[in-house]
Amino acid sequence: MSADFKYGTGRRKNATARTRLYAGSGEIVVNGRPFDNYFPRKSLQMIIRQPLVLTKTLDKIDVKVTVQGGGVSGQAEAVRHGISRALLEVDASLRGALKKAGFLTRDARKKERKKYGLRAARARYQYSKR
């Protein structure tokens, strides 16, 4: 990998992915491990590859990601978001396709906090009339 890279930050739930794109042969490394080793489920691997497949840059760009926080699904979607943002730095003309696919929109849904007096965020304790 060369020293020249394009950077993008992706977030989903509590996961944050710092993504770097290098000119290369299509290698994806997540936290120092091959991405198919870090994300063993095929569905998560597909999620990560989506922006690269859409823009036809899968075999032209090496991706190096540092991801932390959240669970595996949130991390995979954070990586996808980060790759999409970094691809805009590579080529701004990809914006239309990435935006239409929804890869540039930050999914703001997070876990709602538990409220006092309730069993969970909105679930109440069972009410007994008699």
Side-chain angles (χ1 to χ4, degrees):
M1 285 189 218
S2 65
D4 185 39
F5 63 87
K6 300 296 181 185
Y7 179 79
T9 304
R11 291 192 179 89
R12 171 74 169 100
K13 290 188 172 182
N14 286 324
T16 303
R18 295 177 295 170
T19 308
R20 292 178 176 182
L21 300 185
Y22 300 86
S25 59
E27 182 185 9
I28 302 174
V29 177
V30 179
N31 289 352
R33 293 160 49 188
F35 91 111
D36 53 342
N37 187 355
Y38 191 86
F39 296 107
R41 289 203 324 240
K42 296 289 183 197
S43 59
L44 298 179
Q45 293 173 19
M46 183 203 67
I47 286 171
I48 290 170
R49 275 198 222 105
Q50 280 177 331
L52 298 170
V53 170
L54 179 73
T55 58
K56 297 177 180 69
T57 55
L58 187 60
D59 53 349
K60 299 173 191 152
I61 292 179
D62 286 345
V63 182
K64 189 175 181 185
V65 183
T66 306
V67 65
Q68 58 190 3
V72 288
S73 181
Q75 284 187 351
E77 293 188 29
V79 170
R80 177 177 71 182
H81 189 223
I83 290 172
S84 300
R85 282 182 161 184
L87 279 169
L88 284 185
E89 302 248 334
V90 173
D91 185 5
S93 66
L94 301 173
R95 182 173 184 83
L98 291 169
K99 189 126 178 102
K100 187 174 181 186
F103 298 155
L104 296 177
T105 306
R106 200 288 201 206
D107 193 345
R109 295 176 296 173
K110 291 184 100 174
K111 185 177 171 79
E112 196 173 327
R113 71 172 287 269
K114 181 194 177 300
K115 279 72 167 198
Y116 54 85
L118 301 181
R119 192 165 37 85
R122 297 186 183 191
R124 285 149 169 75
Y125 292 108
Q126 189 170 358
Y127 173 71
S128 175
K129 194 169 185 177
R130 290 181 189 86

